[in-house]
Amino acid sequence: MSARTPTVCPYCAVGCGFYITRSGIEYMQDHPVNEGSLCPKGNAALDVLNHVDRLRYPMMRIGDGWIRVSWEEALDRLAEEMKRSLREMGPKSIAFLGSAKCTNEENYLFQKIARLVGTNSIDNSARRCHSPTIVALRRMLGTPAMTNPITDLALSDCILLIGSNLAENHPVVARWILRARDRGAAVIVADPRVTPTAWLADLHLQLNPGTDIALINGMINVILREGLENRSFIKERTGGFEELDVSDYTPDRVSSITGLSAGDIVRAARLYAKSSASTIVYCMGITQHTCGTDNVTACANLALICGQIGRPGAGILPLRGQNNVQGACDMGALADFYPGWRSVDDSREIDELRRLWNAGALPVGRGLTADMMPDADLRFLYVMGEDIVNSDPTVSRRRGKLKRCFMVVQEIFMTDTAKLADLVLPAAAWAEKEGTFTSTERRVQWVSRAGEPPGEAMPDIWILAEVAARLGFDFPYDPEEVLAEINQAVPAYRGISRRNAEPRGGIIWPCPHPDHPGTPVLHAERFSTPDGRARISPVHHTPLERTSPEHPLILLTGRVVLHYNSGSMTMRSEGLVKREPEMHVDVNPDDAARFGVADGDTVVVETGWGRAKARARVTPRQKRGTLFMPFHFPETNLIASELLDRNAMMPELKIAACRIGRAD
C-alpha cells in the first residue's frame, strides 16, 4: 500500500475525498465538497477492503456446491455460455446489469460489450433510484443531472428540501445548508416524517405521504395568483407555460389533500418565489413512486416559473444515492440510453457510436430494464456489482426464476445474488484499482490504487477486457486508454483526462476540451434542449396507496445514517452493525396503543405484497397513521410494492398500505 493515496468515498454520491494511509484514513481538509469531514459510513469505508468475507478466487457452481477454478477456465466458460445463448436464442436472451459502484471506464466497457453482442438489455441501479429524474429533467431541461454544485447551497437564500432526509443520507450536504442558514437563508422541509433534516427547517411541511404534486401545484397556484412568477424568464427561456393550469390547486383544496395548513402552503410559496436565489433539493422520496416522473416534473415547473435556475444558488439538485450512479448513466449503462445520453431510438446518434466502435449494426429500441429481467425468458444474465436480490422487490420474490438462466456475478462479497449464480468472479474494490467516478454534482474524480486486491481478485476493467477478447473484440484495459475513448463517445467528458480529474476535487462536466475549467452551473444562458428553451409541463395529483380496514396504515421506507442500500458493505463493518444491528419499524405512540404494540416488541408488518418481522420503536417523530422501515434489510423489499412508474419503469418503493401486530 502507498504511504498516502487520495481516494473517493465508495458510499453515497456526494463524492467526499480522503487519503488512505498505512495506518488508516487521513482526512482531506482541502477537498472542495467535504473539507475533511466524513459521515459514519465514510469513516468505516476501509473495513470492507480486507474483510474475511472478500471473494478471492473464481468459483463455479457444481450441483448445489462450488468449486474453485482458474481465471482462464472461468472466463472461457462465461464466453462459451454467452455465445451459446446468442447462437441458440439470439440477443434477446441475454441481459446485463451494470454497477453504480464500478468506475466510469468499467461501466463504459460493460455496456459496450452488451451493445456489440446485439442487446440494449443493460441497466443499473439508477432504475430503482433516479430513473424519473432522467426522464423528466432530460425532457424538460435537456440534461438529466444536478444543475448546480453542492457548495452552491451556501449561496441560496431559500432551500426547499422535498423527499430527502439528507442529514442522515447525505450528511456532508447538510453542512452547506447550515452555512446558508447562518447567512439568513430560509429552509423549507417537506417530509411526512420528523427527521434530522426536518430539525434544520424554518418551516417543516409534514405532508401526507404521496401528496408532493398537490403541494407543489398549490405553491404554484399561490405564486401565479400573487404575481410572483418571473414573467421575463418564462417568456424568454421556456415553452409550455400557457398549458400550465393549477387553478384547482387552491391552498384550501391542497390543505385537504396534504394535511397541511393553507397558511403554511402560502408561506412556503412566498419564501421560495421571493428569494433572490432558491434551490430545490430532492431525493428518492420524490422519485421512488408510481408518479415519480410527475413528481420531478412538478419540481422543475416550480423552478422554471420562478426563474430559479441557471444561477449560483438557484437550481434543481437531485441527490444521487450511489457513488457512481451518475457516471454509470453517463456511460450508457441504461436500457434506454447509449453513452452520452444518446437515445436508443435515435439512429443518427447511434450511427456515431457505430463508427467510433467500428461496429456493424447496433441494437435500436429500449431493452429490458432491471425490473423486467426476472420475468423475461433470459438464457444468460451478467451482473457486475449489483445485489439485486436484496435491493429489488421484484427479484426478491422471483429469485427462483433467475435459476433458469446461466448467471454470472462479478462481486467483492458472496452476496445473496452471487449465491444464485452459476459463476462468481472476484473483483477488486474501489481502492484496489484506478479510474474515474462521477458524483451527484457531475464532479469527475480520478481514484488511484491504494493497495492490492485479495487472493486472485482482479479489477473489473481487466475482467471485461478478457471477456471481450473471448468474444472477438479488442478492448483496452488501461483506464486512461478507456477514458480517452469515452472522450469521443460522451461529449460532456470530451476534455476530461487523468490530469484534470486527479487533483483533489477533480472537474465538473461538461468539460468540452482539455483546457476547459468545467461547468459547475448548468443552463446559465440556454437549456440543453434542441431550441435552448426549457419545457414547462403540467402534471396533476393522483392518489397513491389508500388505506383500508385490512391495511389501515401506510408504510414508508428509506435509509438510516449507519447503513447503506442492501447492506452488503455496511453489514460487514463491526462498528456500524453494533450501533444498528437489526431491522426496526418506527411507530407513532397513538398507533402503537391502537394496535397493542409496545416499544421493543417483535412485530409483524404486512402489506398486500408480503410480511416481515421487525423490532418496534415507538416514537412521536413518526407521523400518525404511518410506519417507517429502513430498506437496508432484505425483509423490507419482501413487502414493498411492485407497482411501476410506466414512464421511467421505477418501482413504487416508498409507500404501501399495511398493518402491524405483535409477532406470535
Side-chain angles (χ1 to χ4, degrees):
M1 180 177 288
S2 301
R4 188 172 183 257
T5 306
T7 192
V8 178
C9 181
Y11 283 108
C12 84
V14 172
C16 297
F18 60 88
Y19 296 101
I20 299 177
T21 70
R22 290 189 176 93
S23 58
I25 284 175
E26 180 183 325
Y27 299 118
M28 190 179 288
Q29 304 289 345
D30 54 352
H31 191 278
V33 179
N34 64 305
E35 300 178 321
S37 64
L38 291 175
C39 76
K41 293 183 289 290
N43 276 296
L46 302 189
D47 291 355
V48 304
L49 294 180
N50 297 309
H51 196 278
V52 66
D53 290 346
R54 284 290 301 275
L55 291 170
R56 287 167 166 76
Y57 308 100
M59 305 290 288
M60 191 179 297
R61 180 179 296 281
I62 300 295
D64 293 329
W66 298 90
I67 61 169
R68 174 179 164 182
V69 296
S70 68
W71 270 110
E72 184 175 5
E73 185 177 358
L75 294 170
D76 285 349
R77 177 74 187 281
L78 186 160
E80 174 189 325
E81 292 292 341
M82 190 187 301
K83 288 177 180 177
R84 178 183 290 119
S85 299
L86 290 167
R87 183 173 60 250
E88 296 179 358
M89 298 182 66
K92 291 185 178 180
S93 69
I94 65 176
F96 297 73
L97 277 171
S99 176
K101 282 275 172 276
C102 289
T103 67
N104 288 322
E105 293 72 25
E106 290 159 347
N107 277 291
Y108 177 80
L109 292 188
F110 195 64
Q111 65 81 34
K112 186 177 177 181
I113 291 174
R115 268 62 192 246
L116 290 180
V117 300
T119 184
N120 282 329
S121 294
I122 173 164
D123 221 11
N124 75 79
S125 63
R127 187 65 56 189
R128 297 181 296 276
C129 59
H130 273 284
S131 53
T133 293
I134 293 169
V135 173
L137 293 191
R138 186 172 186 272
R139 181 184 66 221
M140 299 177 74
L141 311 182
T143 301
M146 279 178 64
T147 62
N148 299 54
I150 290 169
T151 55
D152 243 27
L153 286 166
L155 306 177
S156 295
D157 292 317
C158 178
I159 301 170
L160 170 59
L161 303 167
I162 183 165
S164 170
N165 178 18
L166 58 79
E168 284 196 89
N169 304 334
H170 302 87
V172 169
V173 178
R175 299 170 70 250
W176 295 98
I177 292 173
L178 289 171
R179 290 186 185 183
R181 283 198 64 189
D182 288 344
R183 289 180 46 254
V187 178
I188 306 166
V189 174
D191 195 315
R193 301 173 61 224
V194 181
T195 65
T197 304
W199 302 342
L200 305 176
D202 298 286
L203 175 60
H204 177 203
L205 302 173
Q206 197 174 6
L207 72 172
N208 293 328
T211 61
D212 305 279
I213 292 173
L215 168 62
I216 295 170
N217 280 356
M219 292 173 64
I220 294 174
N221 174 288
V222 173
I223 290 164
L224 297 180
R225 189 184 66 209
E226 298 187 1
L228 300 176
E229 71 275 19
N230 189 327
R231 283 281 174 178
S232 61
F233 185 93
I234 292 169
K235 180 180 178 180
E236 296 167 10
R237 301 202 54 196
T238 73
F241 175 70
E242 62 281 354
E243 300 173 12
L244 185 66
D245 181 5
V246 292
S247 56
D248 286 344
Y249 292 89
T250 63
D252 286 340
R253 178 170 177 259
V254 172
S255 174
S256 68
I257 296 170
T258 62
L260 303 171
S261 72
D264 280 348
I265 296 164
V266 172
R267 183 184 172 199
R270 290 172 177 167
L271 285 170
Y272 180 84
K274 290 182 177 182
S275 159
S276 61
S278 293
T279 300
I280 299 173
V281 181
Y282 70 85
C283 197
M284 294 188 297
I286 283 291
T287 58
Q288 285 184 332
H289 290 293
T290 54
C291 60
T293 301
D294 287 350
N295 283 347
V296 177
T297 299
C299 290
N301 283 340
L302 177 60
L304 290 170
I305 69 158
C306 294
Q308 298 283 17
I309 194 167
R311 295 178 284 112
I316 304 171
L317 277 61
L319 289 175
R320 306 285 183 159
Q322 300 211 52
N323 65 322
N324 200 37
V325 71
Q326 180 67 53
C329 295
D330 295 340
M331 296 303 109
L334 288 168
D336 27 16
F337 294 100
Y338 275 85
W341 300 101
R342 292 172 166 87
S343 170
V344 292
D345 298 315
D346 191 324
S347 58
R348 178 185 58 82
E349 292 192 336
I350 293 173
D351 221 38
E352 292 180 11
L353 287 174
R354 184 187 61 77
R355 289 192 294 272
L356 173 63
W357 294 342
N358 193 27
L362 293 175
V364 178
R366 185 168 73 179
L368 297 172
T369 56
D371 58 283
M372 299 166 67
M373 291 178 187
D375 287 327
D377 189 18
L378 291 177
R379 179 76 171 268
F380 182 95
L381 177 62
Y382 193 165
V383 182
M384 180 175 72
E386 277 282 295
D387 187 10
I388 52 175
V389 167
N390 281 335
S391 61
D392 190 319
T394 306
V395 179
S396 295
R397 299 187 189 100
R398 292 166 173 73
R399 65 181 71 191
K401 291 191 174 184
L402 294 177
K403 295 181 179 180
R404 299 179 306 185
C405 67
F406 188 88
M407 185 162 67
V408 179
V409 173
Q410 203 162 295
E411 258 295 356
I412 63 173
F413 293 118
M414 184 64 83
T415 63
D416 283 350
T417 303
K419 291 174 183 176
L420 298 179
D422 299 280
L423 188 63
V424 174
L425 306 179
W430 96 101
E432 300 158 352
K433 57 187 178 183
E434 293 188 314
T436 57
F437 293 112
T438 304
S439 75
T440 188
E441 59 178 356
R442 298 174 282 112
R443 186 181 298 274
V444 183
Q445 301 180 86
W446 184 274
V447 174
S448 297
R449 178 181 295 196
E452 296 299 316
E456 295 178 7
M458 296 295 289
D460 296 273
I461 199 168
W462 178 89
I463 301 170
L464 296 174
E466 291 292 323
V467 170
R470 285 163 171 78
L471 297 173
F473 309 129
D474 182 17
F475 282 11
Y477 58 82
D478 176 79
E480 289 188 69
E481 289 184 53
V482 180
L483 181 56
E485 184 175 323
I486 291 169
N487 294 158
Q488 300 176 69
V490 182
Y493 285 64
R494 190 143 291 156
I496 295 177
S497 65
R498 179 171 184 165
R499 178 183 62 83
N500 58 19
E502 194 169 38
R504 290 174 295 277
I507 190 164
I508 297 178
W509 69 253
C511 176
H513 58 79
D515 296 321
H516 194 277
T519 313
V521 179
L522 293 177
H523 317 307
E525 297 178 357
R526 70 187 310 274
F527 289 93
S528 307
T529 56
D531 64 0
R533 288 175 172 265
R535 302 284 182 268
I536 293 173
S537 181
V539 289
H540 296 284
H541 166 73
T542 301
L544 300 181
E545 281 281 86
R546 290 186 171 91
T547 57
S548 66
E550 184 180 8
H551 297 111
L553 301 170
I554 292 291
L555 171 66
L556 309 175
T557 69
R559 296 176 174 141
V560 294
V561 68
L562 293 173
H563 283 303
Y564 188 76
N565 285 10
S566 65
S568 62
M569 292 167 65
T570 54
M571 295 296 179
R572 289 176 168 88
S573 290
E574 183 178 349
L576 300 178
V577 172
K578 185 176 181 179
R579 294 159 64 191
E580 191 77 58
E582 62 180 348
M583 166 66 78
H584 69 267
V585 55
D586 290 348
V587 190
N588 178 274
D590 291 343
D591 293 324
R594 178 183 173 192
F595 295 102
V597 171
D599 189 65
D601 281 352
T602 300
V603 297
V604 173
V605 178
E606 187 170 355
T607 70
W609 306 93
R611 64 201 309 266
K613 287 186 178 181
R615 184 77 61 189
R617 297 203 313 200
V618 179
T619 170
R621 295 189 310 210
Q622 189 63 30
K623 185 178 177 69
R624 185 177 180 182
T626 70
L627 307 176
F628 171 81
M629 293 173 70
F631 60 50
H632 313 295
F633 300 84
E635 295 88 349
T636 304
N637 276 319
L638 292 174
I639 62 176
S641 170
E642 288 184 17
L643 299 176
L644 291 176
D645 175 336
R646 292 296 173 181
N647 291 296
M649 304 305 288
M650 160 64 76
E652 172 60 73
L653 297 174
K654 271 289 171 273
I655 63 175
C658 69
R659 65 184 178 214
I660 189 172
R662 294 180 62 183
D664 294 333

